[in-house]
Amino acid sequence: MGARAAPSRRRQAGRRLRYLPTGSFPFLLLLLLLCIQLGGGQKKKENLLAEKVEQLMEWSSRRSIFRMNGDKFRKFIKAPPRNYSMIVMFTALQPQRQCSVCRQANEEYQILANSWRYSSAFCNKLFFSMVDYDEGTDVFQQLNMNSAPTFMHFPPKGRPKRADTFDLQRIGFAAEQLAKWIADRTDVHIRVFRPPNYSGTIALALLVSLVGGLLYLRRNNLEFIYNKTGWAMVSLCIVFAMTSGQMWNHIRGPPYAHKNPHNGQVSYIHGSSQAQFVAESHIILVLNAAITMGMVLLNEAATSKGDVGKRRIICLVGLGLVVFFFSFLLSIFRSKYHGYPYSDLDFE
């Protein structure tokens, strides 16, 4: 029974092949060619990806941050295939740009990239690059970017999302903050290693030595330590410096002023509430000092027991200082916080 069944099955298979439609053979051949082409295309993509990663690794071996122009940006970041994350700093480091913030952000970016390059976890899944405005103007235009510095993360797949742009205005550009942001976007944790900096320690030691030497020389006459007027002047200087934004200038490093390249007009007051110029902080310091002087004169006119006419003049001068300079201060505040409804005198 088993020997008879085998030829029967062969005859049935032969009948099925004999009745197979002749039009299916070109279809099968086309399907086979398509599979071969897809396999070749996949192999080509793999080879292209391997070449890109090899080139990036070679650049990273030379320096932790490699510079890109428009062609390199489109080839290694915008064009697929890509299986790596790319952190890009868009900046303007040329001296004619006068972007001190860009230089400070670049220093922090270098510290972060060096920490990653010399880390034991370094791999080909994350790279650091930079696009300078004067070397990649077309990239800035393509991304509709009109400010620098800006940090962006380009993921291995898909387009960057809103969270892939680092919130520099709110967080700052410290290397530790950048590392935390990168960890959130890529799951790559970078431990920041800062080179030792002894300038602060040396400056503090010199200050302590200077104060100690002054006290030693005046050891027989230390009455100036108990001088209320002197301490009041020192306190006022510190208050004026802090309220005018000197600490913000120290952290962010803004330019002194801004000169419009088109008409040459110089701006000393920044038009946004999120930034300021160094000249602006100096103007605010002078205004605060003038208002304080006016308040001191008003207090002197009210508490002194001198001539009435003299006290009246002092009172009028103090009142004029307070009204004029406080109105000027309010006008600056309104120019930065648009829609602010209050003012004393209109200087606009």
Side-chain angles (χ1 to χ4, degrees):
M1 290 294 291
R4 295 175 183 175
S8 177
R9 285 196 294 270
R10 283 195 294 269
R11 285 194 297 271
Q12 292 175 0
R15 285 195 294 270
R16 283 196 298 270
L17 290 174
R18 191 163 53 246
Y19 289 105
L20 187 67
T22 56
S24 62
F25 288 103
F27 174 76
L28 293 176
L29 181 61
L30 180 62
L31 184 62
L32 179 61
L33 292 176
L34 182 61
C35 292
I36 295 175
Q37 185 177 4
L38 289 177
Q42 183 66 24
K43 187 67 175 178
K44 185 178 179 180
K45 286 184 178 181
E46 292 177 358
N47 293 336
L48 179 59
L49 178 60
E51 292 177 1
K52 292 169 69 173
V53 173
E54 182 180 0
Q55 180 66 70
L56 293 174
M57 291 296 291
E58 180 183 351
W59 288 341
S60 297
S61 64
R62 297 176 185 174
R63 56 179 58 188
S64 55
I65 301 174
F66 43 86
R67 304 174 78 96
M68 284 191 170
N69 54 21
D71 295 334
K72 291 180 179 179
F73 179 83
R74 285 183 285 272
K75 178 180 178 181
F76 291 95
I77 297 181
K78 299 295 290 184
R82 191 175 72 247
N83 65 349
Y84 49 85
S85 292
M86 183 74 73
I87 307 298
V88 184
M89 175 185 177
F90 298 91
T91 184
L93 294 175
Q94 296 301 321
Q96 65 269 19
R97 301 299 174 185
Q98 298 181 354
C99 183
S100 57
V101 182
C102 296
R103 292 191 293 270
Q104 294 182 6
N106 181 55
E107 293 176 0
E108 294 293 319
Y109 194 47
Q110 290 284 352
I111 292 174
L112 176 64
N114 288 332
S115 300
W116 169 243
R117 179 185 177 188
Y118 298 108
S119 171
S120 59
F122 176 76
C123 62
N124 59 3
K125 298 300 181 183
L126 178 65
F127 298 98
F128 291 85
S129 65
M130 175 190 303
V131 177
D132 193 277
Y133 179 79
D134 293 283
E135 299 172 0
T137 308
D138 53 339
V139 179
F140 277 75
Q141 294 175 352
Q142 180 182 354
L143 298 176
N144 295 322
M145 192 173 297
N146 54 12
S147 63
T150 300
F151 296 94
M152 287 189 65
H153 165 244
F154 292 87
K157 295 181 180 180
R159 297 181 178 181
K161 301 178 181 178
R162 183 175 181 179
D164 287 312
T165 300
F166 182 68
D167 191 355
L168 185 145
Q169 294 291 340
R170 185 176 63 88
I171 304 176
F173 47 75
E176 290 78 7
Q177 298 296 336
L178 287 170
K180 185 177 182 300
W181 168 67
I182 291 173
D184 293 337
R185 306 310 304 164
T186 65
D187 291 331
V188 175
H189 297 271
I190 303 175
R191 183 180 178 184
V192 177
F193 294 95
R194 290 185 175 273
N197 185 3
Y198 301 105
S199 59
T201 304
I202 295 174
L204 180 61
L206 290 175
L207 179 61
V208 171
S209 301
L210 181 62
V211 173
L214 179 62
L215 293 177
Y216 179 77
L217 294 175
R218 299 289 302 273
R219 61 186 182 276
N220 296 325
N221 185 12
L222 298 179
E223 294 180 359
F224 68 94
I225 297 179
Y226 304 99
N227 190 321
K228 296 181 179 180
T229 304
W231 284 111
M233 295 298 295
V234 172
S235 301
L236 283 176
C237 290
I238 296 175
V239 170
F240 292 153
M242 294 299 107
T243 56
S244 64
Q246 293 298 326
M247 185 59 66
W248 194 93
N249 294 339
H250 178 73
I251 296 173
R252 300 295 181 89
Y256 187 82
H258 174 70
K259 183 177 182 180
N260 193 318
H262 302 291
N263 54 22
Q265 183 179 0
V266 180
S267 299
Y268 298 101
I269 305 295
H270 199 284
S272 172
S273 61
Q274 302 298 321
Q276 70 177 16
F277 299 130
V278 176
E280 180 180 338
S281 62
H282 293 168
I283 294 173
I284 299 300
L285 189 150
V286 172
L287 294 178
N288 287 336
I291 295 170
T292 302
M293 178 60 67
M295 296 299 295
V296 170
L297 292 177
L298 288 174
N299 181 73
E300 181 69 18
T303 57
S304 65
K305 298 180 180 180
D307 182 63
V308 177
K310 183 178 180 181
R311 291 168 58 188
R312 184 180 292 111
I313 295 175
I314 294 176
C315 179
L316 291 176
V317 172
L319 183 62
L321 288 174
V322 172
V323 173
F324 181 82
F325 288 104
F326 189 75
S327 299
F328 198 3
L329 186 65
L330 274 182
S331 67
I332 296 176
F333 189 83
R334 290 174 59 198
S335 68
K336 297 179 69 66
Y337 292 84
H338 303 286
Y340 187 75
Y342 305 112
S343 64
D344 287 343
L345 301 176
D346 193 0
F347 290 96
E348 299 180 357

